[in-house]
Amino acid sequence: MRGIIRLATVAATAVAVASLGSSPALADHHEEAAAMDRIGDAPNFNGVWQVMNSANWNVEPHSAGPNPLPEGDRLLGAIGAVPAGLGVVEGGEIPYNEEAQERLQYNQENVIRYDPEAACYLPGIPRATYMPHPFQIVQGDGDDILMVYEYASANRVIHMGEVGIPPIDTWMGTSYGQWDGDTLVVTTLAQGPGLVKLPEGVMVDGVTWLDRAGNYLTNHATVVERFTLDESGDHMDYSVTIEDPSIYTAPWTMNMTLYRLVEEDAQLLEFKCVPFSENLLYGDLIAE
């Protein structure tokens, strides 16, 4: 984890950069200089970013629909409904192999209750990027890059250098980054939650969910992200290719846009969700 201390010193800079375009006095300068804003030889990714899509509900194309829980409509009405989405998967469908269909069906039969998001477990990659919460990129000069997520105070270090062999599986995996011109290419390996506790004491071998619809990857997956800053400096193209021969018949790719928050007060707030998940996980132990 080289560079963490140095990265921490530029955390304040990330917020300042995120709000650069919101100042009227700097607007004209920002429009002219955004494409040239660099840290050393690399484009400046510092800032607070967020998606504007429904990928966290389902990365595949989907219609609007009711709450997946039978009692959801009665308790929540339209608040709990699923918004429609054009999908972010190239070709529209994830190429699961026949063996993977059983786990996919199991996940789908148990949304929302078995979704790691509902239990406040770490979301994994790439889901952390397109959850309905912002995240912050903290970038120094020629050093490792830190990504901090509002959801569950999650974070990951992008180890800048050659792709290595992670020592263990973890919820967020281990990420390695390299520059391909002005594109940041991040390879994440070894995403493995291990044995996971679900509601009412159910224990299962965990997998990384990609959305609330139950799509998933395993600890055999190689996830390659590509971050490419637009000339405007206020949004970037985000592409993710996932290869996992244990459950997919071929590698597949998602594409979406990340938007920089340009408000003067752009920042991450706290969403420490453990207290919100306790009744779901342990409610059966509470005395009536």
Side-chain angles (χ1 to χ4, degrees), residues 187-256:
T187 300
T188 300
L189 305 172
Q191 294 189 79
L195 197 62
V196 174
K197 174 180 170 51
L198 299 175
E200 300 174 358
V202 177
M203 302 294 292
V204 300
D205 288 327
V207 292
T208 299
W209 284 41
L210 296 171
D211 53 29
R212 295 179 183 176
N215 290 303
Y216 73 104
L217 58 81
T218 76
N219 61 340
H220 300 291
T222 298
V223 178
V224 179
E225 304 164 279
R226 298 180 66 88
F227 299 81
T228 306
L229 192 65
D230 184 83
E231 291 183 0
S232 70
D234 286 336
H235 66 272
M236 68 170 75
D237 295 328
Y238 178 65
S239 172
V240 188
T241 298
I242 302 177
E243 182 175 359
D244 188 344
S246 69
I247 59 171
Y248 308 134
T249 59
W252 58 280
T253 300
M254 293 188 284
N255 297 291
M256 65 191 76

Side-chain angles (χ1 to χ4, degrees), residues 19-283:
S19 61
L20 180 61
S22 62
S23 171
L26 296 177
D28 292 339
H29 172 75
H30 177 49
E31 290 178 3
E32 298 177 43
M36 297 181 290
D37 190 11
R38 308 181 75 84
I39 298 180
D41 296 329
N44 185 355
F45 285 3
N46 278 305
V48 179
W49 301 85
Q50 193 165 6
V51 300
M52 295 179 63
N53 61 36
S54 60
N56 191 54
W57 279 265
N58 193 337
V59 296
E60 297 179 326
H62 58 280
S63 301
N67 189 299
L69 297 179
E71 69 275 20
D73 286 350
R74 182 175 179 83
L75 295 175
L76 298 174
I79 290 176
V82 176
L86 296 174
V88 294
V89 178
E90 289 186 2
E93 186 175 357
I94 299 173
Y96 290 102
N97 62 33
E98 186 175 349
E99 292 76 13
Q101 296 294 330
E102 183 176 350
R103 180 57 187 257
L104 178 62
Q105 182 177 353
Y106 172 80
N107 290 350
Q108 292 173 340
E109 290 173 351
N110 289 285
V111 297
I112 300 173
R113 297 175 67 250
Y114 285 8
D115 185 344
E117 180 187 359
C120 192
Y121 295 137
L122 295 179
I125 306 299
R127 189 180 186 183
T129 306
Y130 51 79
M131 297 185 78
H133 302 269
F135 70 98
Q136 184 169 357
I137 299 177
V138 183
Q139 174 189 355
D141 185 3
D143 217 332
D144 291 344
I145 295 174
L146 178 65
M147 294 190 180
V148 184
Y149 304 89
E150 185 171 276
Y151 171 84
S153 301
N155 67 82
R156 62 166 167 160
V157 177
I158 311 300
H159 303 278
M160 298 304 293
E162 296 294 326
V163 176
I165 301 176
I168 58 172
D169 291 356
T170 60
W171 279 93
M172 298 292 283
T174 301
S175 296
Y176 305 91
Q178 296 177 316
W179 291 102
D180 179 8
D182 284 346
T183 295
L184 175 63
V185 181
V186 179
T187 300
T188 300
L189 305 172
Q191 294 189 79
L195 197 62
V196 174
K197 174 180 170 51
L198 299 175
E200 300 174 358
V202 177
M203 302 294 292
V204 300
D205 288 327
V207 292
T208 299
W209 284 41
L210 296 171
D211 53 29
R212 295 179 183 176
N215 290 303
Y216 73 104
L217 58 81
T218 76
N219 61 340
H220 300 291
T222 298
V223 178
V224 179
E225 304 164 279
R226 298 180 66 88
F227 299 81
T228 306
L229 192 65
D230 184 83
E231 291 183 0
S232 70
D234 286 336
H235 66 272
M236 68 170 75
D237 295 328
Y238 178 65
S239 172
V240 188
T241 298
I242 302 177
E243 182 175 359
D244 188 344
S246 69
I247 59 171
Y248 308 134
T249 59
W252 58 280
T253 300
M254 293 188 284
N255 297 291
M256 65 191 76
T257 301
L258 306 180
Y259 298 90
R260 190 197 302 268
L261 304 189
V262 297
E263 301 88 349
E264 288 188 12
D265 60 351
Q267 59 187 291
L268 299 189
L269 302 178
E270 286 191 349
F271 188 73
K272 296 182 181 296
C273 51
V274 168
F276 312 144
S277 66
E278 289 178 344
N279 197 41
L280 171 72
L281 291 175
Y282 307 108

